[in-house]
């Protein structure tokens, strides 16, 4: 196999706007098939991938012998089941985050991955962006000295009651949707896991969290994070050490929210700015996955890492429940 032939389960808006074009643009892969019963929903995909094969069911796509890997952008509560079905069908699988709603639900997917020898991962794209790889390298090189605190914030305003993010039955909520970013980013850079959730203030509407602020203790630093689906758009990650501060200005939607920059301010207030004006983390993610499939290359976001982020989310819910 010299090229990974991809299929997408469902014509989700996110797949149409971001991941479909990324799969099509990524080296060593091609978008070959889409599963949807709607010709109208298939048309925008065919506009950039004119030779796209359209199947009228998810099962038909999984039975297609020409498809090597499947991307799953379905509502959150369906992710585990279709990940398992894809692996059982002999397909590599990349599943939109969050892969599961509880950490323990990762275990069946991890076991199926290991049994099959196939690649399976959560689509946690930010770790494939060079801004995050740079941030991790700077931290490990001691650019900000001993770490004291980390803070993260991610918000947008989505009040559409019909949107899956606002529906409890589809696994909605701000923390499942975007908390994975501010929690996982701290884990990725520092390599640490939370020791304790110190506080969890959660506001809910219709059974889903729409604003959540937590504080947590990690082995060597204090953490504060807020996510919201009812605030003006904002995103930032800050790593504050004894010797400096490192800040990422567009950490999660690079070149959509703004230019990706890693800004390091030294203790004497001198700033060094690392800019990444052109990188597309969705394309980088697909290319990394293709390299894992074709070459056996190590993947920056294995399921075990994603399970750790979900374990932190589980700790948040447990703290909220008291």
């Amino acid at each position: 196999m010299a090229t990974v032939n991809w299929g997408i389960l469902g014509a989700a808006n996110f797949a149409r706007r971001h991941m479909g074009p990324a799969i099509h643009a990524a080296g060593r892969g091609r978008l070959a098939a889409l599963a949807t019963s709607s010709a109208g929903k298939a048309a925008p995909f065919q506009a950039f991938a004119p030779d796209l094969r359209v199947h009228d069911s998810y099962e038909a796509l999984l039975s297609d012998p020409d498809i090597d890997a499947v991307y799953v952008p379905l509502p959150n509560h369906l992710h585990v089941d279709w990940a398992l079905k894809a692996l059982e069908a002999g397909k590599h699988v990349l599943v939109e985050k969050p892969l599961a709603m509880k950490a323990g639900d990762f275990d069946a997917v991890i076991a199926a991955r290991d049994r099959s020898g196939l690649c399976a991962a959560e689509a946690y794209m930010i770790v494939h962006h060079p801004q995050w790889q740079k941030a991790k390298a700077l931290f490990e090189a001691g650019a900000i000295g001993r770490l004291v605190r980390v803070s993260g914030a991610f918000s947008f305003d989505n009040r559409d009651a019909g949107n899956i993010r606002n529906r409890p039955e589809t696994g909605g909520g701000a923390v499942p949707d975007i908390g994975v970013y501010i929690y996982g980013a701290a884990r990725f850079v520092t390599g640490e896991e939370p020791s304790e959730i110190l506080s969890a203030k959660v506001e809910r509407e219709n059974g889903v969290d729409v604003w959540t602020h937590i504080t947590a203790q990690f082995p060597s630093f204090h953490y504060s994070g807020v996510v919201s689906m009812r605030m003006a758009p904002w995103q930032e990650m800050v790593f504050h050490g004894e010797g400096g501060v490192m800040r990422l200005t567009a950490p999660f939607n690079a070149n959509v929210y703004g230019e990706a920059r890693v800004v390091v301010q030294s203790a004497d207030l001198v700033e060094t700015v690392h800019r990444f004006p052109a990188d597309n983390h969705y394309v980088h993610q697909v290319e990394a996955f293709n390299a894992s499939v074709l070459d056996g290359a190590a993947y920056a976001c294995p399921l075990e890492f994603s399970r750790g982020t979900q374990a932190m989310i589980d700790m948040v819910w447990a703290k909220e429940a008291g």
Side-chain angles (χ1 to χ4, degrees):
M1 184 197 313
T3 299
V4 179
N5 290 311
W6 284 83
I8 299 177
L9 295 187
N13 286 335
F14 185 80
R16 174 180 57 81
R17 293 171 53 219
H18 296 292
M19 281 300 293
I23 292 169
H24 182 68
R28 308 179 74 192
R30 60 183 289 264
L31 180 57
L34 172 71
T36 179
S37 58
S38 169
K41 290 184 177 180
F45 291 84
Q46 292 171 315
F48 61 82
D51 59 345
L52 189 73
R53 184 181 307 173
V54 179
H55 294 286
D56 62 4
S57 71
Y58 303 156
E59 291 84 359
L61 188 148
L62 293 182
S63 297
D64 187 336
D66 295 328
I67 297 303
D68 307 306
V70 174
Y71 169 62
V72 180
L74 302 174
N76 295 344
H77 69 298
L78 299 175
H79 288 175
V80 169
D81 285 347
W82 285 100
L84 292 172
K85 289 176 181 178
L87 291 168
E88 290 165 3
K91 313 299 185 187
H92 306 280
V93 62
L94 181 65
V95 186
E96 196 46 62
K97 54 78 197 159
L99 185 145
M101 305 308 297
K102 295 181 179 179
D105 294 342
F106 275 83
D107 296 341
V109 183
I110 291 171
R113 175 202 66 187
D114 293 346
R115 282 195 309 271
S116 66
L118 295 165
C119 295
E122 180 185 71
Y124 190 66
M125 75 293 185
I126 67 170
V127 299
H128 303 283
H129 197 291
Q131 70 168 326
W132 279 105
Q133 295 162 5
K134 184 66 173 180
K136 184 175 179 65
L138 287 167
F139 171 77
E140 292 176 345
I144 59 172
R146 188 183 74 85
L147 185 63
V148 178
R149 72 173 186 96
V150 175
S151 63
F154 194 180
S155 63
F156 61 92
D157 199 343
N158 178 354
R159 299 169 194 261
D160 178 3
N163 188 279
I164 59 173
R165 294 168 181 81
N166 287 308
R167 294 166 52 192
E169 68 272 18
T170 56
V175 168
D177 187 38
I178 55 179
V180 293
Y181 292 124
I182 67 167
Y183 302 164
R187 296 176 54 249
F188 175 72
V189 169
T190 67
E192 293 190 16
E193 303 295 342
S195 308
E196 180 184 2
I197 304 300
L198 302 173
S199 65
K201 170 65 175 175
V202 182
E203 294 182 4
R204 293 182 179 272
E205 295 177 12
N206 189 37
V208 301
D209 66 292
V210 298
W211 183 93
T212 296
H213 176 262
I214 74 161
T215 59
Q217 187 62 51
F218 281 69
S220 68
F221 64 92
H222 184 269
Y223 176 87
S224 174
V226 62
V227 293
S228 177
M229 301 192 300
R230 299 292 187 273
M231 295 171 67
W234 178 258
Q235 53 187 261
E236 185 180 57
M237 287 292 297
V238 177
F239 298 81
H240 193 166
E242 292 180 346
V245 179
M246 179 170 66
R247 182 167 58 92
L248 287 85
T249 60
F252 310 124
N253 297 121
N255 297 330
V256 175
Y257 179 78
E259 182 185 68
R261 288 178 288 151
V262 179
V263 182
V264 179
Q265 179 178 290
S266 66
D268 56 0
L269 305 184
V270 175
E271 279 194 353
T272 303
V273 181
H274 306 272
R275 289 184 165 88
F276 305 90
D279 289 276
N280 183 311
H281 48 202
Y282 302 113
V283 173
H284 288 318
Q285 175 180 242
V286 176
E287 290 181 339
F289 195 92
N290 290 344
S292 292
V293 170
L294 297 172
D295 308 327
Y299 194 67
C301 186
L303 289 177
E304 288 80 0
F305 175 86
S306 297
R307 189 189 192 283
T309 299
Q310 185 59 48
M312 184 172 174
I313 293 173
D314 293 351
M315 292 170 67
V316 170
W317 298 146
K319 184 67 177 181
E320 179 200 13

